Amino acid sequence: MDSASRAELGAFLRSRRARIRPADVGLPHGPRRRVPGLRRDEVAQLAGASVDYYNELERGAGPQPSEQMLAALARALRLTADERDYLYHLADRPVPAPGGAASHVHPGMLDLLARLTSTPAQVITDLHVTLVQNPPAVALLGDQSGLRGARASFVHRWFTEPDARGLYPEADHEAQSRAFVADLRAAAARRDAGDPEARSMIGFLLGASSEFAALWAEHEVAFRRDDRKRINHPALGLIEVNCLTLFSEDGRQRLLWFTPAVGTDSAGLLDLLAVIGTQDVTGQR
């Protein structure tokens, strides 16, 4: 990045920050606010960056931001797809291919996620790559923001990494496997026939997992629109929840949120998540 690009990047970040109200991203307005939009420390908090680092970016200084940081900033600032692409251009980074962990998330989904403050919720792709989680979802399911490549997909991990199955009781594994395969077939059919991301995942799993290959041969097709799940939490034990799904217009992204199952003690257990905090259950969902 040259100095002109750094200066333009800083100016662009300031302009986008100024247009967002705290309520737009689930933050309290608070007293004595001196700026109409977000403060720098609030953007840093939303993007998971240090305040000093973000201050340097707005000043047109500091290191070139990574693709992961740019994705986090785009989400924090509720950028449109065009604005997100421009941000990557200014930072001299390639725009990520759709479907990966750095994929653009529609601002409308982020707005809904920000309003689900006490309910575990997250946005995933149709190939089960987690894009963004709210704090209760991290507490329930583990922080998945560091996963990259093929491992970013929970379906990939489910059929290739035995530890990933610890989220569900063993008695539920067969049903989960069947549901994942049927959902993946439906998602692949909704994409273009030659979609490289879906074809690559399916081809790999057919060779890597005999279980996946056997289920794939059954040709079951069904999107996962809602589920009743039993989740093994490392501190709270078994939590029974309803998992509800809101699909994006093109079907490529889904907002999942988890509510306590009626007739169980899960409501109290979900309330305890705020006390327990996050757990190291990476690889699970």
Side-chain angles (χ1 to χ4, degrees):
M1 292 179 64
D2 57 30
S3 58
S5 294
R6 291 179 186 276
E8 185 65 19
L9 174 63
F12 182 64
L13 291 173
R14 290 193 299 274
S15 71
R16 302 304 88 184
R17 174 170 62 85
R19 70 178 181 174
I20 301 177
R21 300 170 302 174
D24 294 335
V25 292
L27 294 175
H29 186 276
R32 301 178 182 176
R33 180 169 290 273
R34 298 177 181 176
V35 294
L38 295 180
R39 298 190 299 261
R40 292 187 181 90
D41 64 297
E42 291 170 332
V43 176
Q45 174 190 341
L46 291 168
S50 72
V51 177
D52 288 342
Y53 175 81
Y54 183 75
N55 285 342
E56 287 291 294
L57 287 181
E58 282 208 1
R59 285 199 292 264
Q64 180 187 24
S66 67
E67 292 179 25
Q68 291 75 28
M69 178 52 62
L70 292 171
L73 288 170
R75 294 166 188 170
L77 295 169
R78 301 297 192 265
L79 300 187
T80 65
D82 292 339
E83 290 171 334
R84 190 283 304 259
D85 292 354
Y86 183 62
L87 178 69
Y88 276 79
H89 167 72
L90 291 176
D92 196 24
R93 295 286 190 188
V95 175
S103 293
H104 178 259
V105 183
H106 192 284
M109 280 200 166
L110 289 172
D111 289 342
L112 284 173
L113 188 68
R115 283 161 173 72
L116 295 171
T117 57
S118 60
T119 300
Q122 57 189 22
V123 179
I124 68 170
T125 72
D126 57 342
L127 300 185
H128 294 259
V129 174
T130 300
L131 301 178
V132 60
Q133 300 171 281
N134 68 4
V138 174
L140 178 65
L141 306 168
D143 184 358
Q144 297 167 48
S145 61
L147 296 167
R148 297 288 178 266
R151 292 192 66 246
S153 166
F154 186 63
V155 173
H156 176 96
R157 298 196 305 279
W158 179 262
F159 288 103
T160 61
E161 302 178 16
D163 289 348
R165 300 195 174 199
L167 179 63
Y168 301 120
E170 188 173 353
D172 298 348
H173 288 183
E174 182 180 351
Q176 292 296 334
S177 293
R178 187 173 296 278
F180 278 132
V181 173
D183 182 85
L184 179 58
R185 187 179 281 279
R190 191 165 185 169
R191 293 183 173 215
D192 294 335
D195 180 81
E197 186 184 14
R199 288 184 63 186
S200 175
M201 173 181 287
I202 294 165
F204 178 85
L205 291 177
L206 284 171
S209 169
S210 58
E211 178 191 20
F212 178 88
L215 290 171
W216 190 259
E218 294 184 16
H219 294 273
E220 292 187 7
V221 185
F223 280 117
R224 300 190 78 162
R225 291 183 169 85
D226 56 78
D227 281 312
R228 184 154 174 164
K229 297 183 177 184
R230 298 190 299 163
I231 294 175
N232 284 324
H233 190 274
L236 300 177
L238 195 65
I239 305 176
E240 194 162 354
V241 297
N242 297 311
C243 178
L244 307 172
T245 304
L246 174 67
F247 290 80
S248 64
E249 200 169 308
D250 62 1
R252 293 262 184 140
Q253 294 182 8
R254 309 169 183 183
L255 173 64
L256 310 181
W257 70 99
F258 301 83
T259 61
V262 175
T264 71
D265 60 355
S266 297
L269 293 175
L270 290 178
D271 288 340
L272 283 174
L273 286 176
V275 179
I276 297 296
T278 60
Q279 302 292 324
D280 185 11
V281 289
T282 300
Q284 302 178 0
R285 192 191 77 244

